[in-house]
Amino acid sequence: MLQTRSKGDWFKITIPPEWEDRTLDELLRMHWKAGKKLIHQMRMEKTILINGGLPNWNLPLKKGDSLELRLFQEEDFGIIPTYFDIEVLYEDQHLLVVNKPAGMDTHPNFAQEKDTLANAVAFYLQAKGEFRKIQHIHRLDRDTTGAVLFAKHALAGSILDRMLEERKIKRTYLALAEGIIRQKKGVINKPIGRDRHHPTRRRVASTGQPAVTNFKVRQVLPDRRMTLVECQLETGRTHQIRVHFSAIGHPLAGDQLYGGETILPRQALHAGKLAFTHPFTAEEIVCYAPFIDEPPIFPEIDIFQI
């Protein structure tokens, strides 16, 4: 775990032994893998200091040096803060994780939209006096519930984006699939592309992008002719779990877009767990998202066991 502290707009990290002999440029580009444009901006705006002074970006860092980053200056939200009672699963100065309800988009699709999770997060931060241009790191479908990760500043957003691309942010989903799935676990490896006959639907297509879903059966519900499955994604295609289970003949319950029966008010898909290494403290962060449907659509299950 890194030694860190904050003072005003500045975040300070004591250089650990494992960072010694790296240059500042190497730390940002190779360790954090921050974007080139952002690194250039921080360099030009002098928002990075070493031991209180402007750094030589090409000199090796030394154990015990103080790396100072100006990360917490006030910014315009870029969206309209809108009150909605949200459940925060984890929060610190750099990021937060929120339990998204059904019937809500993750972020606005046009400037004046104000009923999304991002609008609600902006209001939550505004009420605390934190003015941050928040960034969602991944999305959930409108009627999918569960954990969504947001960055509070540009450097956190850049690093977390790359972590997601490199599958260093682990997302675990629970889904209710129609029918009885006999195998205890499996891998669905089918490419996914757009359905040219429908504006939002996706489909399995040989010309699509690679898509891999790992699943294991958690519970068979013979009386309801359903199977509760736990899924982890190796890729993050739009509607991936929904498309994949429909393709193997087990559409998600309530998922009318992909052939599910109208036995539930929405597709039975919940992002129950989010796990990653914190980019600035090196802590292992694990968030569990409780079910929030009323009435419940999932069977009773200990969410902390996924």
Side-chain angles (χ1 to χ4, degrees), residues 165-207:
E165 287 178 12
E166 296 178 350
R167 301 199 294 273
K168 293 179 179 177
I169 298 175
K170 304 297 184 183
R171 294 173 288 166
T172 306
Y173 294 79
L174 291 170
L176 271 178
E178 291 184 4
I180 306 301
I181 299 177
R182 303 293 178 185
Q183 62 193 102
K184 292 183 179 179
K185 61 182 179 179
V187 179
I188 307 173
N189 186 349
K190 296 178 181 292
I192 292 175
R194 289 183 175 274
D195 186 336
R196 64 178 182 271
H197 301 296
H198 194 283
T200 59
R201 192 165 52 205
R202 301 296 192 272
R203 65 185 182 92
V204 167
S206 59
T207 56

Side-chain angles (χ1 to χ4, degrees), residues 105-251:
D105 288 329
T106 300
H107 62 91
N109 293 305
F110 53 89
Q112 297 306 308
E113 191 173 3
K114 55 183 181 180
D115 57 354
T116 75
L117 186 63
N119 297 105
V121 169
F123 185 95
Y124 166 80
L125 293 177
Q126 178 181 260
K128 298 200 313 169
E130 289 187 40
F131 294 83
R132 305 282 184 262
K133 190 172 184 178
I134 54 168
Q135 173 187 336
H136 65 280
I137 303 303
H138 61 102
R139 295 180 294 179
L140 294 179
D141 298 339
R142 179 177 178 83
D143 285 328
T144 297
T145 54
V148 178
L149 174 61
F150 287 87
K152 286 188 177 183
H153 56 75
L155 182 58
S158 180
I159 295 170
L160 291 169
D161 272 346
R162 187 61 59 88
M163 288 174 63
L164 187 70
E165 287 178 12
E166 296 178 350
R167 301 199 294 273
K168 293 179 179 177
I169 298 175
K170 304 297 184 183
R171 294 173 288 166
T172 306
Y173 294 79
L174 291 170
L176 271 178
E178 291 184 4
I180 306 301
I181 299 177
R182 303 293 178 185
Q183 62 193 102
K184 292 183 179 179
K185 61 182 179 179
V187 179
I188 307 173
N189 186 349
K190 296 178 181 292
I192 292 175
R194 289 183 175 274
D195 186 336
R196 64 178 182 271
H197 301 296
H198 194 283
T200 59
R201 192 165 52 205
R202 301 296 192 272
R203 65 185 182 92
V204 167
S206 59
T207 56
Q209 294 177 300
V212 180
T213 302
N214 300 291
F215 73 89
K216 61 181 177 181
V217 170
R218 291 298 305 267
Q219 191 175 342
V220 174
L221 307 169
D223 56 326
R224 297 173 64 182
R225 293 291 300 169
M226 294 183 192
T227 304
L228 178 67
V229 290
E230 178 183 313
C231 304
Q232 283 202 335
L233 306 182
E234 292 188 21
T235 51
R237 308 304 173 208
T238 300
H239 300 175
Q240 180 171 319
I241 293 173
R242 300 166 64 188
V243 173
H244 271 171
F245 277 89
S246 178
I248 65 169
H250 295 281

Side-chain angles (χ1 to χ4, degrees), residues 17 38 47 62 77 81 92 124 139 151-152 163 182 207 217 254 257 263-264 283 285 287 290 303 306:
L38 178 61
T47 54
K62 296 179 182 179
F77 289 111
D92 61 23
Y124 166 80
R139 295 180 294 179
K152 286 188 177 183
M163 288 174 63
R182 303 293 178 185
T207 56
V217 170
L257 186 61
I263 51 180
L264 294 175
E283 294 176 275
I285 306 297
C287 299
I303 199 75
I306 67 173

